Amino acid sequence: VRRAAVHRSVAAELEGHGWECEVRDLIGEGFLSVQVLRREERELAEHLAKRIAVDPASHDPDWRHHLPEAEAMALMVNRGELMAQRILLEEKAARTVATELALDMTGFVGVLGRAGDDGVLSADEIRRLLNVCREQGTHYGEALIEKAASHGR
């Protein structure tokens, strides 16, 4: 059974985007757990956020804007009991720091591919979702879209 753990700021952000009912349902189903960082984890998250901010691939020098990714990394590094296998990261600078920490990661495209492998999404649904992202400014190439779609049912 797959589960997800997020820091409370991520849950609040999802709720702020109108996903309050979905977040509550996922928590109630035992799929999602909301975590609060301990003091040392907060300190680690701030350190990691500052590393992300100064990375040459970062488009935002304000380290506070990188805290969500850094908090997720701090949870993965310090909470073995969560049994987190992978971290979901999109931003290249955050991926660089996660690689330095030897964290296994995936992105949105990987999640869609996995959903295809699990029979949840068809190839056409994966293509449609990634094309919507492209229309909104995400730079996905056609080859990447087709590779992800090849996982669809």
Side-chain angles (χ1 to χ4, degrees), residues 91-113:
E91 186 185 348
K92 189 173 184 176
R95 285 175 159 262
T96 299
V97 173
T99 298
E100 293 167 2
L101 295 170
L103 299 179
D104 191 12
M105 71 191 99
T106 191
F108 182 62
V109 176
V111 170
L112 294 182

Side-chain angles (χ1 to χ4, degrees), residues 78-94:
N78 286 313
R79 303 275 183 102
E81 69 273 15
L82 293 175
M83 296 183 289
Q85 297 173 348
R86 221 168 260 109
I87 186 169
L88 176 64
L89 295 172
E90 292 295 324
E91 186 185 348
K92 189 173 184 176

Side-chain angles (χ1 to χ4, degrees), residues 6-151:
V6 297
H7 182 261
R8 66 179 174 193
S9 65
V10 173
E13 182 178 351
L14 291 170
E15 291 169 354
H17 287 292
W19 289 42
E20 185 174 347
C21 290
E22 289 84 352
V23 169
R24 188 174 40 244
D25 289 348
L26 291 171
I27 291 169
E29 293 167 8
F31 176 80
L32 184 66
S33 67
V34 178
Q35 304 294 313
V36 177
L37 296 182
R38 298 183 286 255
R39 183 184 48 76
E40 66 274 8
E41 292 168 333
R42 281 193 312 272
E43 291 170 1
L44 175 60
E46 286 184 14
H47 172 74
L48 295 173
K50 289 173 184 175
R51 285 176 54 192
I52 295 168
V54 299
D55 186 276
S58 178
H59 298 290
D60 187 348
D62 187 343
W63 64 270
R64 291 174 295 248
H65 297 161
H66 301 286
L67 276 172
E69 296 95 338
E71 290 164 345
M73 289 182 212
L75 285 172
M76 279 201 70
V77 167
N78 286 313
R79 303 275 183 102
E81 69 273 15
L82 293 175
M83 296 183 289
Q85 297 173 348
R86 221 168 260 109
I87 186 169
L88 176 64
L89 295 172
E90 292 295 324
E91 186 185 348
K92 189 173 184 176
R95 285 175 159 262
T96 299
V97 173
T99 298
E100 293 167 2
L101 295 170
L103 299 179
D104 191 12
M105 71 191 99
T106 191
F108 182 62
V109 176
V111 170
L112 294 182
R114 185 59 184 256
D117 289 342
D118 291 348
V120 175
L121 293 175
S122 70
D124 286 341
E125 290 168 321
I126 293 170
R127 275 189 207 93
R128 183 185 61 74
L129 289 166
L130 292 175
N131 280 315
V132 167
C133 292
R134 267 203 325 196
E135 290 166 8
Q136 295 175 352
T138 303
H139 302 286
Y140 294 140
E142 199 59 41
L144 178 63
I145 291 174
E146 286 308 309
K147 182 177 180 184
S150 73
H151 292 270

